[in-house]
Amino acid sequence: LGGGAPVYIREAKEPSYLAQVRAFRPESMPIPSDYNKILLQLLQSPTIASKQWVFHQYDSMVRTNTVAPSYDAAIVRIKGSKKALAMKSDCNARYVYLNPRRGGQIAVAESARNIVCTGATPLGITNCLNFGNPYDPEIYWQFMEAVLGIGEACRALETPVTGGNVSFYNESPDGAVHPTPVIGMLGLLEDVDLATSSFFQNPGDAIILLGESNAEVGGSEYSYQLLGEVVGDAPELDLVAEKRLQALCLKLIHDRLIVSAHDCAEGGLAVALAECCFAPKRSLGACVSSFDLTKHRSDFLLFGESQSRIIISAREEQIEKILTTATRYNVTAALIGQVTDAPAVRIDPLINIQTDQARTTYEAAIPSAMGEVELMIV
């Protein structure tokens, strides 16, 4: 189209619900008495629980190109070369509902972060933007803000938008779906031998947290499970800091300083640590004894969903190099614990769950739910 594409601008209005949901005060949430129970509850929630019931029904080794699913993103070999493609789709609709622009940014940032955790460099995105009726000014405002947020994040992370689609009128008699701009991110892994697992590998390895943990439970799975509603504001996101974190993670992988990398996302640090222990065909543990639980409320620090965080594991002799490199990249890095051969997820002094119990809860949730659906149909 010579002269550019036509631009269609509709009436937009900030939704009236925002004032109500953002009036939520996290300090009003009750302090839990049983952190083990909370962690298990989070691991079996549909948002977090293992989706292997779905993807294990497909032959992941078809045409021998797919690398076994043990990573934060799917990896497909490029035959005839050492290269591979990493792919990830992501979106947290609750964040977009609470803060459409920041929620759009987070969808891009988290997709890229998952790509980076495999050792691949993010290249670009496609998208599927799912919203309600655009003739509703409040819905159109959600759409407009989310698109602006996606654009800002893509420019910051240098991941151009190569295509996508928009799906409007996703509504029921109860109202529109939560705004859900799904991001599909593609990355390039120059050497498939560098592919980095999301699971801990060796007892005795150090556990290091990259990034800052803050008291951010707005829109979190924790607050939803506790309150039954989506309230608060989406977590903060500094795109410049996010880019530094991702650059650091790639540097550590390419220099072969770490053996695993896993993004902290839904469910927060406690869930991410548990997931790191669920390596296929083996049960390792994690003993976290050096994580500062005095900075904010302990439940907010363990289950809050602060962005720009990655859990890595590494040989003890690499700790100093990792911390020095993190300082050079201006990224907070803290040694918080150790991988153990005792199969338990421990975050002293609040959480101590056997890995097998946590894994069973995590892996059985979706099949159990599907079984209940089948019974209802019968």
Side-chain angles (χ1 to χ4, degrees), residues 15 17 91-98 100 128-134 136 138-140 142-143 166-182 230:
Y17 70 80
C91 180
N92 188 318
R94 293 173 187 160
Y95 296 165
V96 189
Y97 174 76
L98 296 173
C128 179
L129 311 180
N130 305 281
F131 291 80
N133 183 352
D136 180 334
E138 294 189 352
I139 298 293
Y140 190 79
Q142 290 177 336
F143 173 71
V166 178
S167 176
F168 283 130
Y169 306 102
N170 294 287
E171 301 194 3
S172 74
D174 294 327
V177 297
H178 282 171
T180 312
V182 178
V230 181

Side-chain angles (χ1 to χ4, degrees), residues 230-248:
V230 181
V231 289
D233 198 355
E236 295 291 334
L237 178 67
D238 181 335
L239 288 168
V240 175
E242 176 72 38
K243 190 171 183 178
R244 291 199 305 267
L245 172 80
Q246 294 186 17
L248 169 63

Side-chain angles (χ1 to χ4, degrees), residues 29-43 217 222 226 267 269-271 274 291 293-294 296-304 345-353 357-358:
M29 294 173 61
I31 298 175
S33 58
D34 189 338
Y35 282 74
N36 289 341
K37 180 179 178 181
I38 294 292
L39 177 55
L40 291 174
Q41 185 176 342
L42 291 173
L43 287 171
V217 292
Y222 175 54
L226 210 62
L269 177 66
V271 165
F291 181 66
L293 289 169
T294 64
H296 299 291
R297 269 181 49 167
S298 297
D299 55 332
F300 292 176
L301 288 169
L302 292 177
F303 307 124
V345 181
R346 285 179 50 197
I347 306 176
D348 292 337
L350 296 172
I351 291 175
N352 190 350
I353 296 177
Q357 180 186 7

